[in-house]
Coordinates of all heavy atoms in Angstrom, one line a residue:
M1 N -35.2 143.1 89.5 CA -35.5 143.8 90.7 C -34.5 145.0 90.8 O -33.4 144.9 90.3 CB -35.4 143.0 91.9 CG -35.8 143.7 93.2 SD -36.0 142.7 94.7 CE -37.7 142.2 94.4
S2 N -34.8 146.0 91.5 CA -34.0 147.2 91.6 C -32.7 146.9 92.3 O -32.6 146.0 93.2 CB -34.8 148.2 92.5 OG -33.9 149.3 92.8
N3 N -31.6 147.6 91.9 CA -30.3 147.4 92.5 C -30.1 148.5 93.6 O -29.0 148.6 94.1 CB -29.2 147.4 91.5 CG -29.1 148.7 90.7 OD1 -29.9 149.6 90.9 ND2 -28.2 148.8 89.8
M4 N -31.1 149.2 94.0 CA -31.0 150.2 95.0 C -30.8 149.6 96.4 O -31.3 148.5 96.6 CB -32.3 151.1 95.1 CG -32.6 151.8 93.8 SD -32.7 153.6 93.9 CE -32.5 154.1 95.5
R5 N -30.0 150.2 97.2 CA -29.7 149.7 98.5 C -31.0 149.8 99.3 O -31.8 150.7 99.1 CB -28.6 150.4 99.2 CG -28.9 151.8 99.6 CD -27.6 152.4 100.3 NE -27.9 153.8 100.7 CZ -28.4 154.1 101.9 NH1 -28.6 153.2 102.8 NH2 -28.6 155.4 102.2
Q6 N -31.1 149.0 100.3 CA -32.3 149.0 101.2 C -32.1 150.2 102.2 O -31.0 150.4 102.7 CB -32.4 147.7 102.0 CG -33.8 147.6 102.6 CD -34.0 146.2 103.0 OE1 -33.1 145.4 103.3 NE2 -35.3 145.8 103.1
L7 N -33.2 151.0 102.3 CA -33.1 152.1 103.2 C -34.0 151.9 104.4 O -35.0 151.2 104.3 CB -33.7 153.4 102.4 CG -32.9 153.8 101.2 CD1 -33.7 154.9 100.5 CD2 -31.5 154.3 101.6
S8 N -33.6 152.4 105.5 CA -34.4 152.3 106.7 C -34.7 153.7 107.2 O -34.2 154.7 106.8 CB -33.6 151.5 107.8 OG -32.6 152.3 108.3
S9 N -35.7 153.7 108.1 CA -36.1 155.0 108.7 C -34.9 155.6 109.4 O -34.8 156.8 109.5 CB -37.3 154.8 109.6 OG -37.0 153.9 110.6
H10 N -33.9 154.8 109.8 CA -32.8 155.3 110.5 C -31.8 156.0 109.5 O -31.0 156.8 109.9 CB -32.0 154.2 111.2 CG -32.9 153.5 112.2 ND1 -33.4 154.1 113.3 CD2 -33.4 152.2 112.2 CE1 -34.2 153.2 114.0 NE2 -34.2 152.1 113.3
D11 N -31.9 155.7 108.2 CA -31.1 156.3 107.2 C -31.6 157.7 106.9 O -31.0 158.4 106.1 CB -31.1 155.5 105.9 CG -30.4 154.2 106.0 OD1 -29.5 154.1 106.9 OD2 -30.7 153.3 105.2
G12 N -32.7 158.1 107.4 CA -33.3 159.4 107.1 C -33.8 159.5 105.7 O -33.7 160.5 105.0
A13 N -34.4 158.4 105.2 CA -35.0 158.4 103.9 C -36.0 159.6 103.8 O -36.8 159.8 104.6 CB -35.7 157.1 103.7
D14 N -35.8 160.3 102.7 CA -36.7 161.5 102.5 C -37.1 161.5 101.1 O -37.0 160.6 100.3 CB -35.9 162.8 102.8 CG -34.6 162.9 102.0 OD1 -34.4 162.2 101.0 OD2 -33.8 163.8 102.3
A15 N -37.7 162.6 100.7 CA -38.3 162.8 99.3 C -37.3 162.6 98.3 O -37.6 161.9 97.2 CB -39.0 164.2 99.2
H16 N -36.0 163.0 98.5 CA -35.0 162.8 97.5 C -34.7 161.3 97.3 O -34.6 160.9 96.2 CB -33.7 163.5 97.9 CG -32.5 163.3 97.0 ND1 -32.4 163.9 95.8 CD2 -31.5 162.5 97.2 CE1 -31.3 163.4 95.2 NE2 -30.7 162.6 96.0
D17 N -34.6 160.6 98.4 CA -34.4 159.1 98.3 C -35.5 158.4 97.5 O -35.3 157.5 96.7 CB -34.3 158.5 99.7 CG -33.1 159.0 100.4 OD1 -32.0 159.2 99.8 OD2 -33.2 159.2 101.7
I18 N -36.8 158.9 97.8 CA -37.9 158.3 97.2 C -37.9 158.6 95.7 O -38.2 157.7 94.8 CB -39.2 158.7 97.9 CG1 -39.2 158.3 99.3 CG2 -40.4 158.2 97.1 CD1 -40.2 159.0 100.2
R19 N -37.6 159.9 95.3 CA -37.6 160.3 93.9 C -36.5 159.5 93.2 O -36.7 159.0 92.1 CB -37.2 161.7 93.8 CG -38.4 162.6 94.2 CD -38.0 164.1 94.0 NE -38.8 164.9 94.9 CZ -40.0 165.3 94.6 NH1 -40.6 164.8 93.6 NH2 -40.7 166.0 95.5
A20 N -35.3 159.3 93.8 CA -34.2 158.5 93.2 C -34.7 157.0 93.0 O -34.4 156.5 91.9 CB -33.0 158.6 94.1
F21 N -35.4 156.5 93.9 CA -35.9 155.1 93.8 C -36.9 155.0 92.6 O -36.8 154.1 91.8 CB -36.6 154.7 95.1 CG -37.2 153.3 95.1 CD1 -36.3 152.2 95.4 CD2 -38.5 153.1 94.7 CE1 -36.8 150.9 95.3 CE2 -39.0 151.8 94.7 CZ -38.1 150.7 95.0
L22 N -37.8 156.0 92.6 CA -38.8 156.0 91.5 C -38.1 156.2 90.1 O -38.5 155.5 89.1 CB -39.8 157.1 91.7 CG -40.7 156.9 92.9 CD1 -41.6 158.2 93.1 CD2 -41.6 155.7 92.7
A23 N -37.1 157.1 90.0 CA -36.4 157.3 88.8 C -35.7 156.0 88.3 O -35.8 155.6 87.2 CB -35.4 158.4 88.9
N24 N -35.1 155.3 89.3 CA -34.4 154.1 89.0 C -35.4 153.0 88.5 O -35.2 152.3 87.5 CB -33.7 153.6 90.2 CG -32.9 152.3 90.0 OD1 -32.6 152.0 88.8 ND2 -32.4 151.7 91.0
H25 N -36.6 152.9 89.2 CA -37.6 151.9 88.9 C -38.2 152.2 87.5 O -38.4 151.2 86.7 CB -38.7 152.0 89.9 CG -39.8 151.0 89.6 ND1 -39.7 149.7 89.8 CD2 -41.1 151.2 89.1 CE1 -40.8 149.1 89.4 NE2 -41.7 150.0 89.0
F26 N -38.4 153.4 87.1 CA -39.0 153.7 85.8 C -38.0 154.0 84.8 O -38.4 154.3 83.6 CB -40.0 154.9 86.0 CG -41.2 154.6 86.7 CD1 -41.5 155.2 88.0 CD2 -42.2 153.8 86.2 CE1 -42.6 154.9 88.7 CE2 -43.4 153.5 86.9 CZ -43.6 154.0 88.1
H27 N -36.7 153.9 85.1 CA -35.6 154.2 84.1 C -35.8 155.5 83.5 O -35.7 155.6 82.2 CB -35.6 153.0 83.1 CG -35.5 151.7 83.7 ND1 -34.4 151.2 84.3 CD2 -36.5 150.7 83.8 CE1 -34.6 150.0 84.7 NE2 -35.9 149.7 84.4
V28 N -36.0 156.5 84.3 CA -36.1 157.9 83.8 C -35.1 158.8 84.6 O -34.7 158.4 85.7 CB -37.5 158.5 83.9 CG1 -38.4 157.7 83.0 CG2 -38.0 158.6 85.3
D29 N -34.8 160.0 84.1 CA -34.1 161.0 84.8 C -34.8 161.4 86.1 O -36.1 161.6 86.0 CB -33.8 162.2 83.9 CG -32.9 163.2 84.6 OD1 -31.6 163.0 84.6 OD2 -33.4 164.2 85.1
V30 N -34.2 161.6 87.2 CA -34.8 162.0 88.4 C -35.6 163.3 88.3 O -36.5 163.6 89.0 CB -33.8 162.0 89.6 CG1 -32.9 163.2 89.5 CG2 -34.5 162.0 90.9
G31 N -35.2 164.1 87.3 CA -35.8 165.4 87.1 C -37.3 165.2 86.6 O -38.1 166.2 86.7
R32 N -37.6 164.1 86.1 CA -39.0 163.8 85.6 C -39.9 163.4 86.8 O -41.1 163.4 86.7 CB -39.0 162.7 84.6 CG -38.5 163.1 83.3 CD -38.7 162.1 82.2 NE -40.1 161.7 82.1 CZ -40.5 160.6 81.4 NH1 -39.7 159.8 80.8 NH2 -41.8 160.3 81.3
I33 N -39.3 163.1 88.0 CA -40.1 162.7 89.1 C -40.4 163.9 90.0 O -39.9 164.1 91.0 CB -39.2 161.6 89.9 CG1 -38.7 160.5 89.0 CG2 -40.1 161.1 91.1 CD1 -39.8 159.7 88.4
T34 N -41.4 164.7 89.5 CA -41.8 165.9 90.2 C -43.1 165.5 91.0 O -43.7 164.5 90.8 CB -42.2 167.0 89.2 OG1 -43.3 166.6 88.4 CG2 -41.0 167.3 88.3
D35 N -43.4 166.4 91.9 CA -44.6 166.1 92.7 C -45.9 166.0 91.8 O -46.8 165.3 92.2 CB -44.9 167.3 93.7 CG -44.0 167.1 94.9 OD1 -43.3 166.1 95.1 OD2 -43.9 168.1 95.7
D36 N -45.9 166.7 90.7 CA -47.1 166.7 89.8 C -47.0 165.6 88.8 O -48.0 165.4 88.0 CB -47.2 168.0 89.1 CG -47.4 169.2 90.1 OD1 -48.1 169.0 91.1 OD2 -46.9 170.3 89.8
A37 N -45.9 164.8 88.7 CA -45.8 163.8 87.7 C -46.9 162.7 88.0 O -47.0 162.2 89.1 CB -44.4 163.1 87.7
H38 N -47.7 162.4 87.0 CA -48.7 161.4 87.1 C -48.1 160.0 86.8 O -47.4 159.8 85.8 CB -49.8 161.7 86.1 CG -51.1 161.0 86.3 ND1 -51.3 159.8 85.8 CD2 -52.2 161.5 86.9 CE1 -52.6 159.4 86.2 NE2 -53.1 160.4 86.9
L39 N -48.4 159.1 87.7 CA -47.7 157.8 87.6 C -48.2 157.1 86.2 O -47.3 156.4 85.6 CB -48.1 156.9 88.7 CG -47.5 157.3 90.1 CD1 -48.1 156.6 91.2 CD2 -46.0 157.1 90.1
R40 N -49.4 157.2 85.9 CA -49.9 156.6 84.6 C -49.5 157.4 83.4 O -48.9 156.9 82.5 CB -51.4 156.3 84.7 CG -51.9 155.6 83.5 CD -53.4 155.4 83.5 NE -54.0 156.7 83.9 CZ -55.1 156.8 84.6 NH1 -55.8 155.7 84.9 NH2 -55.6 158.0 84.9
N41 N -50.0 158.6 83.4 CA -49.8 159.5 82.2 C -48.4 159.9 81.9 O -48.0 159.9 80.7 CB -50.7 160.7 82.3 CG -52.2 160.4 82.4 OD1 -52.6 159.3 82.0 ND2 -52.9 161.3 82.9
D42 N -47.6 160.2 82.9 CA -46.2 160.7 82.7 C -45.2 159.6 82.8 O -44.2 159.7 82.1 CB -45.9 161.8 83.7 CG -46.8 163.0 83.6 OD1 -47.1 163.4 82.5 OD2 -47.2 163.6 84.6
L43 N -45.4 158.6 83.6 CA -44.4 157.5 83.8 C -44.9 156.2 83.2 O -44.1 155.2 83.3 CB -44.1 157.4 85.3 CG -43.5 158.7 85.9 CD1 -43.4 158.6 87.4 CD2 -42.2 159.1 85.3
G44 N -46.1 156.1 82.7 CA -46.5 154.9 82.0 C -46.9 153.7 82.9 O -46.9 152.6 82.5
A45 N -47.2 154.0 84.2 CA -47.5 152.9 85.2 C -49.0 152.7 85.2 O -49.8 153.5 85.7 CB -47.0 153.3 86.6
D46 N -49.4 151.5 84.7 CA -50.8 151.1 84.9 C -51.0 150.6 86.3 O -50.2 150.6 87.1 CB -51.2 150.1 83.8 CG -50.4 148.7 84.0 OD1 -49.8 148.5 85.0 OD2 -50.5 147.9 83.0
W47 N -52.3 150.1 86.6 CA -52.6 149.7 87.9 C -51.7 148.6 88.4 O -51.2 148.7 89.6 CB -54.1 149.2 87.9 CG -54.5 148.7 89.3 CD1 -55.0 149.4 90.3 CD2 -54.4 147.3 89.7 NE1 -55.2 148.6 91.4 CE2 -54.9 147.3 91.1 CE3 -54.0 146.1 89.2 CZ2 -54.9 146.1 91.8 CZ3 -54.1 145.0 89.9 CH2 -54.5 145.0 91.2
L48 N -51.4 147.6 87.6 CA -50.5 146.6 88.0 C -49.1 147.1 88.3 O -48.4 146.7 89.3 CB -50.5 145.4 87.0 CG -49.7 144.2 87.4 CD1 -50.3 143.6 88.7 CD2 -49.8 143.2 86.2
D49 N -48.6 148.0 87.5 CA -47.3 148.6 87.7 C -47.2 149.3 89.0 O -46.2 149.3 89.7 CB -46.9 149.6 86.6 CG -46.7 148.9 85.2 OD1 -46.3 147.7 85.2 OD2 -47.0 149.6 84.2
R50 N -48.3 150.0 89.3 CA -48.3 150.8 90.6 C -48.4 149.8 91.8 O -47.7 150.1 92.8 CB -49.6 151.7 90.6 CG -49.4 152.9 89.7 CD -50.4 154.0 89.9 NE -51.8 153.5 90.1 CZ -52.7 153.5 89.1 NH1 -52.4 153.8 87.9 NH2 -53.9 153.1 89.3
L51 N -49.1 148.7 91.7 CA -49.1 147.7 92.7 C -47.7 147.1 92.9 O -47.3 147.0 94.1 CB -50.2 146.7 92.4 CG -50.4 145.6 93.5 CD1 -50.8 146.2 94.8 CD2 -51.4 144.6 93.0
E52 N -47.1 146.8 91.8 CA -45.7 146.3 91.9 C -44.8 147.3 92.6 O -44.0 146.9 93.4 CB -45.2 145.9 90.6 CG -43.8 145.4 90.6 CD -43.2 145.2 89.2 OE1 -43.6 145.9 88.2 OE2 -42.3 144.4 89.1
L53 N -44.9 148.5 92.2 CA -44.1 149.6 92.8 C -44.3 149.7 94.3 O -43.3 149.8 95.0 CB -44.4 150.9 92.1 CG -43.7 152.2 92.6 CD1 -42.2 152.1 92.4 CD2 -44.3 153.4 92.0
L54 N -45.5 149.6 94.7 CA -45.8 149.7 96.2 C -45.1 148.5 96.9 O -44.6 148.7 98.0 CB -47.3 149.7 96.4 CG -48.0 151.0 95.9 CD1 -49.5 150.8 96.1 CD2 -47.5 152.2 96.5
I55 N -45.2 147.4 96.3 CA -44.5 146.2 96.9 C -43.0 146.4 97.0 O -42.4 146.1 98.0 CB -44.9 144.9 96.1 CG1 -46.4 144.6 96.3 CG2 -44.0 143.7 96.6 CD1 -46.9 143.5 95.4
L56 N -42.4 146.9 95.9 CA -41.0 147.2 95.9 C -40.6 148.2 96.9 O -39.6 148.1 97.6 CB -40.6 147.6 94.5 CG -40.6 146.5 93.4 CD1 -40.3 147.1 92.0 CD2 -39.6 145.4 93.8
I57 N -41.4 149.2 97.1 CA -41.1 150.3 98.1 C -41.1 149.6 99.5 O -40.2 149.9 100.3 CB -42.1 151.4 98.0 CG1 -41.9 152.3 96.7 CG2 -42.1 152.3 99.2 CD1 -42.9 153.3 96.4
E58 N -42.1 148.8 99.8 CA -42.2 148.2 101.1 C -41.0 147.2 101.3 O -40.5 147.1 102.4 CB -43.5 147.4 101.3 CG -44.7 148.3 101.5 CD -46.0 147.6 101.7 OE1 -46.1 146.4 101.4 OE2 -46.9 148.2 102.3
D59 N -40.5 146.6 100.2 CA -39.4 145.7 100.3 C -38.1 146.4 100.4 O -37.1 145.9 101.0 CB -39.3 144.8 99.0 CG -40.4 143.7 99.0 OD1 -41.0 143.5 100.1 OD2 -40.6 143.1 98.0
N60 N -37.9 147.6 99.8 CA -36.7 148.3 99.7 C -36.5 149.4 100.8 O -35.4 149.8 101.0 CB -36.5 148.9 98.4 CG -36.1 147.9 97.3 OD1 -34.9 147.6 97.2 ND2 -37.0 147.4 96.6
F61 N -37.6 149.8 101.5 CA -37.5 150.7 102.6 C -37.8 150.0 103.8 O -39.0 149.5 104.0 CB -38.4 151.9 102.4 CG -38.0 152.8 101.2 CD1 -38.2 152.5 99.9 CD2 -37.3 154.0 101.5 CE1 -37.9 153.4 98.9 CE2 -36.9 154.9 100.5 CZ -37.2 154.6 99.2
D62 N -36.9 149.8 104.7 CA -37.2 149.1 106.0 C -38.3 149.8 106.8 O -38.4 151.0 106.7 CB -35.9 149.0 106.9 CG -34.9 148.0 106.4 OD1 -35.2 147.2 105.5 OD2 -33.7 148.1 106.8
D63 N -39.0 149.0 107.6 CA -39.9 149.5 108.5 C -41.0 150.3 107.9 O -41.5 151.3 108.5 CB -39.2 150.3 109.6 CG -38.2 149.5 110.3 OD1 -38.4 148.3 110.5 OD2 -37.2 150.1 110.7
I64 N -41.5 150.0 106.7 CA -42.5 150.7 106.0 C -43.6 149.8 105.6 O -43.4 148.7 105.1 CB -42.0 151.5 104.8 CG1 -43.1 152.4 104.3 CG2 -41.5 150.6 103.8 CD1 -42.6 153.3 103.2
E65 N -44.8 150.2 105.9 CA -46.0 149.5 105.5 C -47.0 150.5 105.0 O -47.5 151.3 105.7 CB -46.6 148.6 106.6 CG -47.7 147.7 106.1 CD -48.2 146.8 107.2 OE1 -47.3 146.3 108.0 OE2 -49.4 146.5 107.2
L66 N -47.3 150.5 103.7 CA -48.2 151.4 103.1 C -49.7 151.0 103.3 O -50.0 149.8 103.4 CB -47.9 151.6 101.6 CG -46.6 152.2 101.3 CD1 -46.3 152.1 99.8 CD2 -46.5 153.6 101.7
P67 N -50.6 151.9 103.4 CA -52.0 151.6 103.6 C -52.6 150.8 102.4 O -52.0 150.9 101.3 CB -52.7 152.9 103.8 CG -51.8 153.9 103.2 CD -50.4 153.4 103.3
D68 N -53.6 150.1 102.7 CA -54.2 149.2 101.7 C -54.7 150.0 100.5 O -54.7 149.5 99.3 CB -55.4 148.4 102.2 CG -54.9 147.4 103.2 OD1 -53.8 146.9 103.1 OD2 -55.8 146.9 104.0
D69 N -55.1 151.3 100.7 CA -55.6 152.1 99.5 C -54.5 152.8 98.8 O -54.8 153.6 97.9 CB -56.7 153.1 100.0 CG -56.1 154.1 101.0 OD1 -54.9 154.0 101.4 OD2 -56.8 155.1 101.2
A70 N -53.3 152.5 99.1 CA -52.1 153.2 98.4 C -52.1 152.9 96.9 O -51.5 153.7 96.1 CB -50.8 152.8 99.1
D71 N -52.7 151.8 96.5 CA -52.7 151.5 95.0 C -53.5 152.4 94.2 O -53.5 152.5 93.0 CB -53.2 150.0 94.8 CG -54.6 149.8 95.2 OD1 -55.1 150.4 96.1 OD2 -55.2 148.9 94.6
R72 N -54.3 153.3 94.9 CA -55.1 154.3 94.2 C -54.3 155.6 94.0 O -54.8 156.5 93.4 CB -56.3 154.6 95.0 CG -57.3 153.4 95.1 CD -58.5 153.8 95.8 NE -59.3 152.6 96.1 CZ -60.1 152.4 97.1 NH1 -60.3 153.4 98.0 NH2 -60.7 151.3 97.3
I73 N -53.1 155.7 94.5 CA -52.3 156.9 94.3 C -52.0 157.1 92.8 O -51.6 156.2 92.1 CB -51.0 156.7 95.1 CG1 -51.3 156.6 96.6 CG2 -50.0 157.9 94.8 CD1 -50.1 156.3 97.5
E74 N -52.2 158.3 92.4 CA -52.0 158.6 91.0 C -50.8 159.6 90.7 O -50.3 159.6 89.6 CB -53.3 159.3 90.5 CG -54.5 158.4 90.5 CD -54.5 157.4 89.4 OE1 -53.9 157.6 88.3 OE2 -55.2 156.4 89.6
V75 N -50.4 160.3 91.7 CA -49.4 161.4 91.5 C -48.2 161.1 92.4 O -48.4 160.7 93.6 CB -49.9 162.8 91.8 CG1 -49.3 163.8 90.9 CG2 -51.4 162.9 91.7
V76 N -47.0 161.4 91.9 CA -45.8 161.2 92.7 C -45.8 161.9 94.0 O -45.4 161.3 95.1 CB -44.5 161.6 91.9 CG1 -43.3 161.6 92.7 CG2 -44.4 160.7 90.7
G77 N -46.3 163.1 94.1 CA -46.3 163.9 95.4 C -47.1 163.2 96.4 O -46.7 163.1 97.6
D78 N -48.2 162.6 96.0 CA -49.1 161.8 97.0 C -48.3 160.6 97.4 O -48.4 160.2 98.6 CB -50.4 161.4 96.3 CG -51.3 162.7 96.1 OD1 -51.1 163.7 96.8 OD2 -52.2 162.5 95.3
L79 N -47.6 159.9 96.5 CA -46.9 158.7 96.9 C -45.8 159.0 97.9 O -45.6 158.3 98.9 CB -46.3 158.0 95.6 CG -45.4 156.8 95.9 CD1 -46.2 155.7 96.6 CD2 -44.8 156.3 94.6
I80 N -45.1 160.1 97.6 CA -44.0 160.5 98.5 C -44.6 160.8 99.9 O -44.0 160.4 100.9 CB -43.2 161.8 98.0 CG1 -42.4 161.3 96.8 CG2 -42.4 162.4 99.0 CD1 -41.8 162.4 96.0
R81 N -45.7 161.5 100.0 CA -46.3 161.8 101.3 C -46.7 160.5 102.0 O -46.5 160.4 103.2 CB -47.5 162.8 101.1 CG -47.1 164.2 100.9 CD -48.3 165.1 100.9 NE -49.0 165.1 99.6 CZ -48.6 165.6 98.5 NH1 -47.5 166.2 98.4 NH2 -49.3 165.6 97.4
H82 N -47.3 159.6 101.3 CA -47.6 158.3 101.9 C -46.4 157.6 102.5 O -46.4 157.0 103.6 CB -48.4 157.4 100.9 CG -49.8 157.6 100.8 ND1 -50.4 158.6 100.2 CD2 -50.8 156.9 101.4 CE1 -51.7 158.6 100.3 NE2 -52.0 157.5 101.0
V83 N -45.3 157.6 101.7 CA -44.1 156.9 102.1 C -43.5 157.6 103.3 O -43.1 156.9 104.3 CB -43.1 156.8 101.0 CG1 -41.7 156.3 101.5 CG2 -43.6 155.9 99.9
E84 N -43.4 158.9 103.3 CA -42.9 159.6 104.4 C -43.7 159.5 105.7 O -43.2 159.3 106.8 CB -42.8 161.1 104.1 CG -41.6 161.4 103.1 CD -41.5 162.9 102.7 OE1 -42.6 163.6 102.8 OE2 -40.4 163.3 102.3
Q85 N -45.0 159.4 105.5 CA -45.9 159.2 106.7 C -45.7 157.8 107.3 O -45.7 157.6 108.5 CB -47.4 159.4 106.3 CG -47.7 160.8 106.1 CD -49.1 161.0 105.7 OE1 -49.9 160.0 105.4 NE2 -49.5 162.3 105.5
A86 N -45.5 156.8 106.4 CA -45.3 155.4 106.8 C -43.9 155.2 107.5 O -43.8 154.4 108.3 CB -45.4 154.5 105.6
L87 N -42.9 156.1 107.1 CA -41.6 156.0 107.8 C -41.7 156.6 109.2 O -41.0 156.4 110.0 CB -40.6 156.7 107.0 CG -40.2 156.0 105.7 CD1 -39.3 157.0 104.8 CD2 -39.4 154.7 105.9

């Protein structure tokens, strides 16, 4: 499991925090986590990896619950928007 500290909405979690979380999770440089980065094609995340990622995001960011259709998210920018809206 990730060694990132748990973030809460009171911490002011933003796109930078989410990108850092994703980079840590995928073991890539944060520079690869662009809005246009495709979770499957660019980061190698299949459907199960994306589902696991969503669970980890909900576990690591306090007070966040992503919508049920969030597992359909394909691009990092869309994921960031969903997380920011949930915060």
Side-chain angles (χ1 to χ4, degrees):
M1 183 171 276
S2 171
N3 61 358
M4 299 237 356
R5 72 181 179 89
Q6 194 165 28
L7 298 173
S8 73
S9 56
H10 304 294
D11 290 335
D14 59 10
H16 175 75
D17 297 321
I18 299 163
R19 287 179 205 286
F21 181 85
L22 294 172
N24 185 15
H25 178 74
F26 289 112
H27 306 288
V28 298
D29 183 81
V30 72
R32 288 191 54 196
I33 310 296
T34 65
D35 282 349
D36 297 328
H38 196 275
L39 293 168
R40 181 183 48 208
N41 297 338
D42 298 323
L43 300 172
D46 63 16
W47 177 85
L48 188 57
D49 294 328
R50 290 193 313 266
L51 183 59
E52 176 188 28
L53 176 64
L54 296 175
I55 292 167
L56 289 172
I57 288 172
E58 288 184 339
D59 287 348
N60 283 280
F61 290 79
D62 285 345
D63 303 325
I64 185 171
E65 187 172 326
L66 294 170
D68 291 338
D69 66 346
D71 63 331
R72 296 185 188 149
I73 295 171
E74 296 285 335
V75 214
V76 169
D78 291 340
L79 177 61
I80 289 172
R81 281 186 285 285
H82 272 78
V83 171
E84 287 178 334
Q85 287 175 357
L87 288 172

